[in-house]
Amino acid sequence: MSEAFRDLTERVGFLHKVESANRIGAGQLKISPRAITFEMPVDDTVASELGMPSFPSGDQEVEIPAKLIFRDRYGFIGLGRCRYRSSTSSTFGDRPGSLKLEAEYAVEIGSMEQDYWSVNGLRSEIGGLAAWAGLSSVVTPPPETDSRGLIIEVSQTAKARDPISIGTDFGLKLYPHFSTQHSSTNGVYTIIEKTFVQTQTPQTIPWEKHVRVHQMVQDLVVIARWTQCGLRVHSANNIDHPIVKISTGEPLGEKWRDAIATWGGRGDWSTPMTIESNRPALFRLADVGAPGLRRWIEEYDSWTRIVGPLVTSRFQKHLPVEALLMQIAVSIEGLGHRIGLMTGRISNPTSSLSFPQYLDLIYQSLNCQITPVIYGSPDNGISSFPDFATWADAFNTAYKEAKHADHPLPDHVRAWVLAESGALLLRLWLAQEFGVAPARLDQNARYSA
C-alpha cells in the first residue's frame, strides 16, 4: 500500500478510461474529503475520449464516464461517481481550454484491471464512535518517581478489544483500533482511540449500498450523543483484487485499499470528527447491545420519516428556530402516527389523528420519567412545566405559530427550548424502543439534552 495516497493531496498524471484503458489526457488530481477534482487541458481529442460532442460552456449539462482511472509514478487511483464540474475556454487562438471534473470517491488500486467500483467491504470512522462503543481502553500504571518526586518512568498500555459482530445482510462489525501522533518539536505523544464501522458482503456491491449502512450507525450515535459527528470513508476491499506481496503475489492478510470520499453521511468535510469528552450520552452501545443495533439497521427504512428530520437538525447550519421547531414536529407526527398504527388507535395507514393526540400517544407509551422533557430552561427564563399536558399544549401552540402565517411568530428562546425538549422526547422513546432500560434513561436524560 502506497503511503503517497494519503500524503500526496495534489498529483500530476494521466486520466484513463476504465473499459478500454485508453488515455484521455494529462492533468492535476487533488484529493481531500472536501473535494476530489481533476483539471486538465482539453482539445478535440480529449473531448472525444470523454464522449463530449463539443467543448462545454457555461452551465451546459455534460455527461462523462462515471468511472475513471488516474495514473502517475506512484500508482493507480480509481475515481468513482465522476461528473463534469466546470470548464474554461481559451481566448488566445488555438490554445485549448481547460476542464474540471469531480469524483465522489477515490481508491488506491493495484492496476488498471482491478475493479474497485463495486466492493465487498468498506470501512469508515465516525466521530465519537470509539467512546460510545466503549471497545478500547488505555491503562496507565502509577509512574515511577525518584527521591525528589520527579517522574522518571511512565508507561501506558493501549489494548483494543475484539471486534463486535453485529450481523445483518451487510456483515456489519465495529472494529476498534488506535492511531498515534508524536510531535518531535514539542515532545507530545498522543494515543487516539478509534473504531471502524466495517461492512463486508460475500458479493461485490456498489459503494452506495455500503455507505448507507454506515450512515445508519452515524444516525444512532447522533441520537445518543445529540451533537453532529463526522463520518470519513477510510478503506475498501475487493476479495478478487487483494493487496499482495510484489515478489510472490501472495495476499497480505486483511489489508485493505486506502480510500477517500467526499461523502460524509449526514455531514460534510467540515463536520468535526471529535466530540467534547464532557458531553454525556443518553445511552451507549452496551445499553442497546448488538441485537438492538442489528434491529436498528434491519428496520431503518421504516423509521426514516422519524429519524431523518430529527438527526438532520443537528447538521443544518444557521437553521432558523421556526424551521427547527417544525422539523422536530414532523418527527413527532411520524412517531405518533406509527404508535397509533401499532396500538390500533389508527386502523388505516392513510388515516390520521390530531397533533396533540400524537403527543399524548408518545407520552402514554413512554416508560421512563418525563421530568427532563418538561423541565424547561430556568437559565434562559423558561420555567419548568407543571405536567406533560401543559408542555404539550405549549409545544403545539409554538408549532402552529411557526407553521401558520396568520399566527404571530413564537418567542425564539421559548421555541428553541420547546424544540430541544421535543427532540429529547423522541430520543427517549427511540432509545426505549431499541432496548435501553428506563432506569438508564432516567439516570442520563437530564444531562444529555
Side-chain angles (χ1 to χ4, degrees), residues 279-290:
R279 188 174 186 88
L282 182 62
F283 58 91
R284 297 189 181 275
L285 175 62
D287 298 316
V288 296

Side-chain angles (χ1 to χ4, degrees), residues 125-134 174 195 197 213-231 266 272-275 279-285 288 293 296-297 300 307 311 314-315 427 448:
E125 295 179 355
I126 295 176
L129 177 61
W132 182 75
L174 301 184
T195 297
V197 176
V213 177
H214 293 231
Q215 182 182 303
M216 295 175 191
V217 178
Q218 181 190 31
D219 282 355
L220 189 61
V221 176
V222 172
I223 289 172
R225 303 295 297 268
W226 202 230
T227 187
Q228 57 180 312
C229 55
L231 188 154
R266 296 287 182 184
M273 292 298 294
T274 57
I275 295 177
R279 188 174 186 88
L282 182 62
F283 58 91
R284 297 189 181 275
L285 175 62
V288 296
L293 179 52
W296 174 263
I297 301 299
Y300 183 87
V307 173
V311 172
R314 293 292 89 186
F315 292 87
R427 294 166 60 215
S448 62

Side-chain angles (χ1 to χ4, degrees), residues 7 28 38 102 120 202 250 260 284 308 313 316 344 362-363:
D7 294 341
Q28 184 182 45
F38 184 82
E102 62 183 5
N120 296 96
E250 179 185 353
I260 291 176
R284 297 189 181 275
S313 70
Q316 293 168 314
I362 297 172
Y363 171 58

Side-chain angles (χ1 to χ4, degrees), residues 378-404:
D379 291 343
N380 289 298
I382 308 300
S383 301
S384 176
F385 296 88
D387 50 41
F388 182 80
T390 306
W391 175 89
D393 183 65
F395 188 100
N396 186 48
T397 298
Y399 173 37
K400 288 190 292 185
E401 290 173 341
K403 181 180 180 181
H404 298 295

Side-chain angles (χ1 to χ4, degrees), residues 95-163:
R95 187 176 301 176
S98 65
L99 188 72
K100 181 178 284 189
L101 313 177
E102 62 183 5
E104 191 165 305
Y105 61 85
V107 57
E108 186 180 45
I109 56 178
S111 69
M112 291 218 190
E113 292 74 33
Q114 293 188 355
D115 181 358
Y116 264 78
W117 292 274
S118 289
V119 293
N120 296 96
L122 195 72
R123 287 175 179 163
S124 71
E125 295 179 355
I126 295 176
L129 177 61
W132 182 75
L135 297 181
S136 304
S137 61
V138 178
V139 178
T140 305
E144 183 178 341
T145 59
D146 61 14
S147 59
R148 294 165 297 176
L150 300 177
I151 296 175
I152 58 174
E153 181 178 332
V154 64
S155 64
Q156 287 186 318
T157 301
K159 177 67 174 176
R161 300 181 186 177
D162 293 334

